[in-house]
């Protein structure tokens, strides 16, 4: 399994979404929609397209609705996506509290760290909700999907399992999937797509900054949790044995995330072409 270098095609995350226009207007899925910013980028790329947005956390719904309004191109599902329909515990480890200074103070109640109980360990602090879970294959039927964004804090494999029918039938053109070192996510994607990395997010341990001999840092900013995050690219990495490299670098650095761009093989020349 190879993860190709995506820096020339995707110098930032905006480039990933801008390229959706090359795939034509159609149905796009925003899974883990949060504030709705990625939904907005999808619609900017494909103004005649349609977005189904999925967000289970009630604290995020008002902010999503403030940004998106009553746009008829968008349908908000107040549910989590998984491989089983029903209900499940959903843990939110932290959220933006009243009185927060800076830009995040406008988003009281927002959280970017909610996760299904089946996705990993329960946070030691925070709140737990019961949320509805839905399965994408059941919702989609035979519909084709232009683009899927997945940011679900460790539940990516459950989402992919629930989309397996559409994936096997080649009805999904491209995906943008958060990766944090999980064992089975990239092999599941590689069955159907060519894979490319995009800009990395580095959360260093303590006050240390990312090693400039290893990382080319392009941006630093405060996260919704109040932690300093860096965006950048590794100066060198292997194309193969990517998961092993990623895990080792994450353990050495503190914590690492990368959104993997997965493109159906027959449309790679269209999606990645320059200009």
């Amino acid at each position: 399994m190879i993860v190709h270098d995506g820096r020339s095609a995707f110098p930032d995350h905006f480039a990933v979404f801008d390229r959706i226009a090359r795939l034509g207007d159609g149905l796009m899925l925003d899974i883990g929609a949060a504030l709705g910013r990625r939904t907005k980028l999808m619609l900017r790329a494909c103004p005649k397209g349609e977005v189904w947005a999925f967000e289970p956390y009630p604290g995020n719904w008002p902010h999503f609705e403030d940004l998106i309004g009553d746009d008829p191109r968008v349908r908000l599902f107040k549910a989590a996506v998984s491989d089983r329909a029903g209900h499940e515990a959903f843990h939110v480890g932290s959220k933006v509290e009243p009185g927060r200074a800076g830009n995040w103070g406008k988003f009281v109640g927002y959280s970017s760290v909610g996760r299904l109980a089946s996705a990993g360990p329960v946070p030691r602090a925070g709140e737990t909700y019961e949320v509805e879970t839905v399965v994408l294959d059941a919702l989609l039927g035979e519909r084709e999907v232009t683009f899927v964004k997945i940011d679900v804090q460790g539940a990516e494999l459950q989402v992919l399992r629930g989309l397996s029918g559409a994936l096997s039938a080649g009805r999904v053109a491209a995906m943008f999937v958060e990766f944090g070192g999980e064992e089975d996510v990239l092999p599941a994607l590689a069955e159907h797509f060519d894979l490319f990395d995009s800009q990395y997010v580095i959360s260093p341990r303590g006050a240390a900054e990312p090693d400039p001999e290893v990382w080319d840092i392009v941006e630093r900013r405060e996260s919704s949790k109040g932690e300093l995050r860096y965006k950048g690219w590794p100066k060198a990495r292997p194309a193969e044995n990517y998961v092993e490299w990623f895990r080792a670098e994450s353990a050495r650095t503190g914590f690492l995330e990368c959104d993997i761009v997965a493109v159906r093989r027959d449309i790679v020349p269209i999606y990645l072409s320059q200009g």
Side-chain angles (χ1 to χ4, degrees):
M1 180 188 65
I2 296 175
V3 176
H4 301 280
D5 185 346
R7 186 169 188 176
S8 61
F10 316 117
D12 55 37
H13 288 169
F14 294 107
V16 177
F17 289 86
D18 288 343
R19 287 172 182 266
I20 303 173
R22 304 178 181 196
L23 308 178
D25 293 308
L27 176 61
M28 299 166 282
L29 309 181
D30 187 353
I31 302 168
L35 298 174
R37 289 172 173 169
R38 299 297 172 84
T39 290
K40 204 77 170 176
L41 291 176
M42 292 178 189
L43 293 173
R44 185 181 75 175
C46 296
K48 295 182 180 179
E50 175 187 3
V51 177
W52 288 1
F54 298 82
E55 176 52 55
Y57 173 51
N60 289 346
W61 299 339
H63 302 300
F64 183 94
E65 290 161 351
D66 284 346
L67 182 63
I68 302 301
D70 57 357
D71 192 319
R73 300 171 296 174
V74 179
R75 180 180 177 186
L76 174 61
F77 293 77
K78 295 179 176 179
V81 176
S82 187
D83 53 359
R84 290 185 308 165
H87 291 82
E88 187 175 333
F90 186 82
H91 304 300
V92 178
S94 66
K95 62 184 179 181
V96 176
E97 299 289 352
R100 173 74 176 271
N103 184 60
W104 286 111
K106 298 182 293 186
F107 302 107
V108 172
Y110 165 77
S111 178
S112 63
V113 294
R115 60 159 43 175
L116 288 170
S118 58
V122 177
R124 286 174 287 184
E127 302 169 336
T128 299
Y129 301 80
E130 184 179 84
V131 302
E132 181 184 2
T133 58
V134 297
V135 178
L136 290 175
D137 275 338
L139 293 175
L140 290 168
E142 299 299 311
R143 289 198 67 174
E144 296 197 357
V145 180
T146 301
F147 187 83
V148 182
K149 183 224 89 179
I150 305 176
D151 182 355
V152 290
Q153 302 298 305
E156 288 79 12
L157 192 60
Q158 288 100 305
V159 174
L160 294 174
R161 286 171 178 159
L163 188 60
S164 60
L167 292 173
S168 297
R171 294 197 300 270
V172 178
M175 305 184 75
F176 189 55
V177 182
E178 184 179 69
F179 177 66
E182 297 82 6
E183 180 72 34
D184 299 322
V185 171
L186 297 194
L189 289 171
E191 288 184 32
H192 311 287
F193 303 102
D194 281 354
L195 308 183
F196 302 83
D197 63 355
S198 70
Q199 202 171 74
Y200 292 72
V201 177
I202 308 112
S203 304
R205 189 177 294 107
E209 296 196 357
D211 185 347
E213 297 295 320
V214 177
W215 290 98
D216 181 10
I217 299 301
V218 298
E219 183 181 352
R220 53 186 289 173
R221 64 168 55 182
E222 183 183 320
S223 74
S224 63
K225 295 171 65 178
E227 300 169 344
L228 189 59
R229 303 279 176 87
Y230 297 80
K231 291 185 178 181
W233 295 87
K235 292 188 174 180
R237 69 159 181 83
E240 299 186 59
N241 301 316
Y242 179 81
V243 175
E244 291 82 356
W245 168 83
F246 188 99
R247 287 178 164 179
E249 187 59 27
S250 185
R252 190 186 70 82
T253 303
F255 185 70
L256 203 58
E257 293 174 332
C258 180
D259 292 305
I260 297 296
V261 183
V263 186
R264 205 174 64 209
R265 294 181 178 95
D266 61 306
I267 61 171
V268 165
I270 298 171
Y271 193 70
L272 267 71
S273 63
Q274 298 298 323

